[in-house]
Amino acid sequence: MSFEFPLPDVGEGLTEADIVAWKVAAGDTVTVNQILVEIETAKSLVELPSPQAGTIDALLVDEGQTIEVGTPIIRFNGGESGAEAGSDGASETGGSGSDSGGPAEATSTEDADGGATLVGYGARTTSSKRRPRKGAPVPSPSAASAEAAPAPAESASAPGESAPGASSASTAATSPSPAASTGQPGPADPAAVPAGAAKPLAKPPVRKLAKDLGVDLSQVVATGPHGDVTRDDVRGAADQVSAPTSGATATSAASASDRGEDEERIPFKGVTKMMAKAMVDSAFTMPHVTEFLDVDVTETMAMVRRLKSTKFLGEDVKVSPLLIVAKAVAWAVGRNPRINACLDGDEIVVKKYVNLGIAAATPRGLIVPNIKNAHSMGLGELAQGIQDLTALARSGKTPPADQAGGTITITNVGVFGVDAGTPIINPGEAAILAFGQVRKKPWVVDDEIVPREITTLSVSADHRVVDGEIISRFLADVGRGLEDPTLMLA
């Protein structure tokens, strides 16, 4: 008896994920909680454990494919749990909830046979069999039309008559199924389907693919085993629609093909797509205002060098100028709490804690995890927090919780040799500070020009939440703390 395991909701409120790498192969024997596959959501990489012990019968999704939550990804052949815990016909309908577009909903850690399963995985404890449609017996390929467009026997057309609104000729021309010869409407003949008939049969991933490709499912010839539309059906219909119809179109396509070797196409998905959406939402909902300040950070840089050489914060703790900037931001927020706020409907919410976001460039794209309660941390704790956060971000396994709840953010553009920028505010916050590169420049000290280490700070803020005075005072305090770090000891 087989059991199909659907892609579960990993608790992020997301609807799809990419299959990154399979950790098992068909024929392998696995145990409960053994890692099956690594997936990438819009926020992080996640390893999915096995919901049961058994033998892998087949991998249902290829690496690199994007699928929706609820789509079956792997099939087990027997095992201690899974299919036995489902209802009658579970294997016929995907018993794991795949037909309903959602993951299995097991709420117990043991199945009916006593085998351990993961909470949220495994077969449903209640029946998952579909409610039969009127007049639709167990479907078969030849009865697909009855499932797609059921009609009471009393109102059936007489033999040889076509359905309302369609001629027999058009029915025969558009429907290759056996139903065409009987005069009954089939799933591939939308014109022959009576008003109020069921929608074309297709699983959620197939419907999404059709939407993405601009294909009308009612116009697609269904070849699935139960009269349902498959991915290949949708792609075939899309190819017919997009086929070149003129010499100019064909020439354009050929020209684009010739340029293919000189171009790189990067999938717009995952972290990159999520970041893009967040930035668009922020840029077009918040009136950004940006201020700049050149700061003499000679004392800050001397402090960083002392901390490095003495290893005062610990042997394995990495000390960088970003550490002192983070401390200065937390200190300046304490002096200007209004900057640490957000707009919630008709209220401005001023937060009395600092969850300090650090924008991190990773191989998967830009993410902004945050250090919780940074305002209460000493230099050692803050340094360790930044180090752990950065290492986890680069590994691509930052959990969603670490990216939620930020109150104010720092982006370190100086590490790339950039002096300043106009950063876009992280959604849900009111300000973001950009820290530019530190360079030696001529500076006036006590009416004399001397070489000093200088950086440029820039802060973008939501002008709905804070006015120019608050922004200016906050930026000036950050600069003051970096010019003389001893001020932050008070």
Coordinates of all heavy atoms in Angstrom, one line a residue, residues 131-197:
R131 N -16.2 14.0 -1.9 CA -17.6 13.9 -2.0 C -18.0 13.6 -3.4 O -17.7 14.5 -4.3 CB -18.3 15.1 -1.4 CG -19.8 15.1 -1.5 CD -20.4 16.3 -0.8 NE -19.9 17.5 -1.4 CZ -20.5 18.1 -2.5 NH1 -21.5 17.5 -3.0 NH2 -20.0 19.2 -2.9
P132 N -18.7 12.5 -3.7 CA -19.0 12.2 -5.1 C -20.0 13.2 -5.7 O -20.8 13.7 -5.0 CB -19.6 10.8 -5.0 CG -20.1 10.7 -3.6 CD -19.2 11.5 -2.8
R133 N -19.8 13.6 -6.9 CA -20.7 14.5 -7.6 C -21.9 13.8 -8.1 O -21.9 12.5 -8.3 CB -20.0 15.1 -8.8 CG -18.8 16.0 -8.5 CD -18.2 16.5 -9.8 NE -17.1 17.5 -9.5 CZ -15.8 17.1 -9.3 NH1 -15.5 15.8 -9.4 NH2 -14.9 18.0 -9.0
K134 N -23.0 14.5 -8.3 CA -24.2 13.9 -8.7 C -24.0 13.2 -10.0 O -23.5 13.8 -11.0 CB -25.3 14.9 -8.8 CG -25.8 15.5 -7.4 CD -26.9 16.4 -7.6 CE -27.4 17.0 -6.3 NZ -28.5 17.9 -6.4
G135 N -24.5 12.0 -10.1 CA -24.5 11.3 -11.4 C -23.1 10.9 -11.9 O -22.9 10.6 -13.0
A136 N -22.1 11.0 -11.0 CA -20.7 10.7 -11.4 C -20.2 9.5 -10.6 O -19.8 9.6 -9.5 CB -19.8 11.9 -11.1
P137 N -20.2 8.3 -11.2 CA -19.7 7.1 -10.6 C -18.2 7.2 -10.5 O -17.6 8.2 -10.9 CB -20.1 6.0 -11.5 CG -20.3 6.6 -12.8 CD -20.8 8.0 -12.5
V138 N -17.5 6.2 -10.0 CA -16.0 6.2 -10.0 C -15.5 6.5 -11.4 O -15.8 5.8 -12.4 CB -15.5 4.8 -9.5 CG1 -14.0 4.9 -9.6 CG2 -16.0 4.6 -8.1
P139 N -14.7 7.6 -11.6 CA -14.4 8.0 -12.9 C -13.4 7.0 -13.6 O -12.6 6.4 -12.9 CB -13.7 9.4 -12.6 CG -13.2 9.3 -11.2 CD -14.2 8.4 -10.5
S140 N -13.5 7.0 -14.9 CA -12.5 6.3 -15.7 C -12.2 7.2 -16.9 O -12.9 8.2 -17.1 CB -13.1 5.0 -16.2 OG -14.2 5.2 -17.0
P141 N -11.2 6.9 -17.6 CA -10.8 7.7 -18.8 C -12.0 7.9 -19.7 O -12.2 9.0 -20.3 CB -9.7 7.0 -19.4 CG -9.0 6.2 -18.3 CD -10.2 5.8 -17.4
S142 N -12.8 6.9 -19.9 CA -13.9 7.0 -20.8 C -15.1 7.8 -20.2 O -16.0 8.2 -20.9 CB -14.4 5.7 -21.3 OG -14.9 4.9 -20.2
A143 N -15.1 8.0 -18.9 CA -16.2 8.7 -18.3 C -15.8 10.0 -17.8 O -16.4 10.6 -16.9 CB -16.7 7.8 -17.1
A144 N -14.7 10.6 -18.3 CA -14.2 11.9 -17.9 C -15.2 12.9 -18.0 O -15.3 13.9 -17.2 CB -12.9 12.2 -18.6
S145 N -16.0 12.9 -19.1 CA -16.9 13.9 -19.4 C -18.0 13.9 -18.4 O -18.6 15.0 -18.0 CB -17.5 13.8 -20.8 OG -18.2 12.5 -20.9
A146 N -18.4 12.8 -17.9 CA -19.5 12.7 -16.8 C -19.0 13.4 -15.6 O -19.8 14.0 -14.9 CB -19.8 11.2 -16.6
E147 N -17.7 13.3 -15.2 CA -17.2 13.9 -14.0 C -17.1 15.4 -14.2 O -17.3 16.2 -13.3 CB -15.8 13.3 -13.7 CG -15.3 13.9 -12.4 CD -14.0 13.2 -12.0 OE1 -13.7 12.1 -12.5 OE2 -13.3 13.7 -11.1
A148 N -16.7 15.8 -15.4 CA -16.5 17.3 -15.7 C -17.8 18.0 -15.8 O -17.9 19.2 -15.4 CB -15.6 17.5 -16.9
A149 N -18.8 17.4 -16.4 CA -20.1 18.1 -16.6 C -21.2 17.1 -16.4 O -21.9 16.7 -17.3 CB -20.1 18.6 -18.0
P150 N -21.6 16.8 -15.1 CA -22.6 15.8 -14.8 C -24.0 16.4 -15.2 O -24.2 17.6 -15.1 CB -22.5 15.6 -13.3 CG -21.9 16.9 -12.8 CD -20.9 17.3 -13.9
A151 N -24.9 15.6 -15.6 CA -26.3 16.1 -15.9 C -27.2 15.0 -15.5 O -27.0 13.8 -15.7 CB -26.4 16.4 -17.4
P152 N -28.4 15.4 -14.8 CA -29.4 14.4 -14.4 C -29.9 13.6 -15.7 O -30.0 14.2 -16.7 CB -30.5 15.2 -13.8 CG -29.8 16.5 -13.5 CD -28.8 16.7 -14.5
A153 N -30.2 12.3 -15.4 CA -30.6 11.5 -16.5 C -31.9 12.0 -17.1 O -32.2 11.9 -18.3 CB -30.8 10.1 -16.0
E154 N -32.8 12.6 -16.3 CA -34.1 13.0 -16.7 C -34.0 14.2 -17.8 O -34.9 14.3 -18.6 CB -35.0 13.6 -15.6 CG -35.4 12.5 -14.6 CD -34.2 12.2 -13.6 OE1 -33.2 12.9 -13.6 OE2 -34.3 11.2 -12.8
S155 N -32.9 15.0 -17.6 CA -32.8 16.1 -18.5 C -31.8 15.9 -19.7 O -31.5 16.8 -20.4 CB -32.4 17.4 -17.8 OG -31.1 17.1 -17.2
A156 N -31.3 14.6 -19.8 CA -30.4 14.4 -20.9 C -31.0 14.5 -22.2 O -32.2 14.3 -22.4 CB -29.8 12.9 -20.7
S157 N -30.2 15.0 -23.2 CA -30.7 15.2 -24.6 C -30.9 13.8 -25.2 O -30.3 12.8 -24.9 CB -29.6 16.0 -25.4 OG -29.4 17.2 -24.8
A158 N -31.8 13.8 -26.1 CA -32.1 12.6 -26.9 C -30.9 12.2 -27.7 O -30.1 13.1 -28.1 CB -33.3 12.8 -27.8
P159 N -30.7 10.9 -28.0 CA -29.6 10.5 -28.8 C -29.5 11.3 -30.1 O -30.5 11.5 -30.8 CB -29.8 9.0 -29.1 CG -30.7 8.6 -27.9 CD -31.5 9.8 -27.6
G160 N -28.3 11.7 -30.4 CA -28.1 12.5 -31.7 C -28.2 13.9 -31.5 O -27.9 14.7 -32.4
E161 N -28.8 14.4 -30.4 CA -28.9 15.9 -30.2 C -27.7 16.4 -29.5 O -27.1 15.7 -28.6 CB -30.2 16.2 -29.3 CG -31.5 15.8 -30.0 CD -32.7 16.2 -29.1 OE1 -32.4 16.8 -28.0 OE2 -33.8 16.0 -29.5
S162 N -27.3 17.6 -29.8 CA -26.2 18.2 -29.1 C -26.7 19.0 -28.0 O -27.9 19.3 -27.8 CB -25.4 19.1 -30.1 OG -26.3 20.2 -30.5
A163 N -25.8 19.3 -27.0 CA -26.1 20.1 -25.9 C -26.5 21.5 -26.3 O -26.1 22.0 -27.4 CB -24.9 20.2 -24.9
P164 N -27.3 22.3 -25.4 CA -27.7 23.6 -25.8 C -26.5 24.5 -26.1 O -25.5 24.5 -25.4 CB -28.4 24.1 -24.5 CG -28.8 22.8 -23.8 CD -27.8 21.8 -24.2
G165 N -26.6 25.3 -27.2 CA -25.5 26.2 -27.5 C -24.4 25.6 -28.3 O -23.4 26.3 -28.5
A166 N -24.4 24.4 -28.7 CA -23.3 23.7 -29.4 C -23.9 22.8 -30.4 O -24.9 22.1 -30.2 CB -22.4 23.0 -28.5
S167 N -23.4 22.7 -31.6 CA -23.8 21.8 -32.6 C -23.1 20.5 -32.5 O -22.0 20.4 -31.9 CB -23.5 22.4 -34.0 OG -22.2 22.5 -34.2
S168 N -23.6 19.4 -33.1 CA -23.0 18.1 -33.1 C -21.7 18.2 -33.8 O -20.7 17.6 -33.4 CB -23.9 17.1 -33.7 OG -25.1 16.9 -33.0
A169 N -21.6 19.0 -34.9 CA -20.4 19.1 -35.6 C -19.3 19.7 -34.8 O -18.1 19.3 -34.8 CB -20.6 19.9 -36.9
S170 N -19.6 20.8 -34.0 CA -18.6 21.5 -33.2 C -18.1 20.6 -32.1 O -17.0 20.5 -31.7 CB -19.1 22.8 -32.7 OG -20.2 22.5 -31.8
T171 N -19.0 19.8 -31.6 CA -18.7 18.9 -30.5 C -17.7 17.8 -31.0 O -16.7 17.5 -30.4 CB -19.9 18.2 -29.9 OG1 -20.8 19.1 -29.5 CG2 -19.6 17.2 -28.8
A172 N -18.0 17.3 -32.2 CA -17.1 16.2 -32.7 C -15.8 16.8 -33.1 O -14.8 16.1 -33.0 CB -17.8 15.6 -33.9
A173 N -15.8 18.1 -33.5 CA -14.5 18.7 -33.9 C -13.6 19.0 -32.8 O -12.4 19.0 -32.9 CB -14.8 19.9 -34.8
T174 N -14.2 19.3 -31.7 CA -13.3 19.9 -30.6 C -13.1 18.9 -29.5 O -12.2 19.1 -28.6 CB -14.0 21.1 -29.9 OG1 -15.3 20.7 -29.4 CG2 -14.1 22.2 -30.9
S175 N -13.7 17.7 -29.4 CA -13.6 16.8 -28.3 C -13.1 15.4 -28.9 O -13.9 14.8 -29.6 CB -14.9 16.6 -27.6 OG -14.7 15.6 -26.6
P176 N -11.9 15.0 -28.6 CA -11.4 13.7 -29.0 C -11.8 12.6 -28.2 O -11.6 11.4 -28.5 CB -9.9 13.9 -28.9 CG -9.7 14.8 -27.8 CD -10.8 15.7 -27.8
S177 N -12.5 12.8 -27.1 CA -12.9 11.8 -26.2 C -14.1 11.0 -26.7 O -14.8 11.5 -27.6 CB -13.3 12.3 -24.8 OG -14.4 13.1 -24.9
P178 N -14.3 9.8 -26.2 CA -15.4 8.9 -26.6 C -16.8 9.6 -26.4 O -17.7 9.3 -27.1 CB -15.3 7.7 -25.8 CG -13.9 7.6 -25.4 CD -13.4 9.0 -25.3
A179 N -16.8 10.6 -25.5 CA -18.1 11.3 -25.2 C -18.6 12.0 -26.4 O -19.8 12.3 -26.5 CB -17.9 12.2 -24.0
A180 N -17.7 12.4 -27.3 CA -18.1 13.2 -28.4 C -19.0 12.4 -29.3 O -20.0 13.0 -29.9 CB -16.9 13.7 -29.2
S181 N -18.8 11.2 -29.5 CA -19.6 10.4 -30.4 C -21.0 10.1 -29.8 O -21.9 9.7 -30.6 CB -18.9 9.0 -30.7 OG -18.8 8.3 -29.5
T182 N -21.2 10.3 -28.6 CA -22.5 10.0 -28.0 C -23.3 11.3 -27.8 O -24.5 11.3 -27.4 CB -22.4 9.4 -26.6 OG1 -21.7 10.4 -25.7 CG2 -21.5 8.2 -26.6
G183 N -22.7 12.5 -28.2 CA -23.5 13.7 -28.1 C -23.4 14.3 -26.7 O -24.1 15.3 -26.5
Q184 N -22.7 13.7 -25.8 CA -22.6 14.2 -24.4 C -21.4 15.2 -24.4 O -20.4 15.0 -25.0 CB -22.3 13.1 -23.4 CG -23.5 12.1 -23.3 CD -24.7 12.8 -22.8 OE1 -24.7 13.6 -22.0 NE2 -25.9 12.4 -23.4
P185 N -21.5 16.3 -23.6 CA -20.4 17.3 -23.5 C -19.2 16.7 -22.8 O -19.4 15.9 -21.8 CB -21.0 18.4 -22.6 CG -22.1 17.8 -21.9 CD -22.7 16.7 -22.8
G186 N -18.0 17.0 -23.2 CA -16.8 16.5 -22.6 C -16.0 17.6 -22.0 O -16.3 18.8 -22.3
P187 N -15.0 17.3 -21.2 CA -14.2 18.3 -20.6 C -13.4 19.2 -21.5 O -13.1 20.3 -21.2 CB -13.2 17.5 -19.7 CG -13.2 16.2 -20.3 CD -14.5 16.0 -20.9
A188 N -13.2 18.8 -22.7 CA -12.4 19.6 -23.7 C -13.3 20.4 -24.5 O -12.8 21.1 -25.4 CB -11.5 18.6 -24.5
D189 N -14.6 20.4 -24.3 CA -15.5 21.1 -25.1 C -16.3 22.1 -24.3 O -17.4 21.8 -23.9 CB -16.5 20.1 -25.8 CG -17.4 20.8 -26.8 OD1 -17.2 22.0 -27.1 OD2 -18.4 20.2 -27.3
P190 N -15.7 23.2 -23.9 CA -16.4 24.1 -23.0 C -17.7 24.7 -23.5 O -18.6 25.0 -22.8 CB -15.4 25.3 -22.8 CG -14.4 25.2 -24.0 CD -14.4 23.7 -24.3
A191 N -17.8 24.8 -24.9 CA -19.0 25.3 -25.5 C -20.2 24.4 -25.2 O -21.3 24.8 -25.3 CB -18.8 25.5 -27.0
A192 N -19.9 23.1 -25.0 CA -21.0 22.1 -24.9 C -21.3 21.9 -23.4 O -22.2 21.1 -23.1 CB -20.6 20.8 -25.5
V193 N -20.6 22.5 -22.5 CA -20.9 22.3 -21.1 C -22.1 23.1 -20.7 O -22.1 24.3 -20.9 CB -19.6 22.6 -20.3 CG1 -20.0 22.4 -18.8 CG2 -18.5 21.7 -20.7
P194 N -23.1 22.5 -20.1 CA -24.3 23.3 -19.6 C -23.9 24.3 -18.6 O -22.9 24.2 -17.9 CB -25.2 22.2 -19.1 CG -24.7 20.9 -19.6 CD -23.2 21.1 -19.8
A195 N -24.7 25.4 -18.5 CA -24.5 26.4 -17.5 C -24.5 25.8 -16.1 O -25.3 25.0 -15.8 CB -25.5 27.5 -17.6
G196 N -23.6 26.2 -15.2 CA -23.5 25.7 -13.9 C -22.7 24.4 -13.7 O -22.7 23.9 -12.7
A197 N -22.1 23.9 -14.9 CA -21.3 22.7 -14.8 C -20.1 22.9 -14.0 O -19.6 24.1 -13.8 CB -21.0 22.2 -16.2

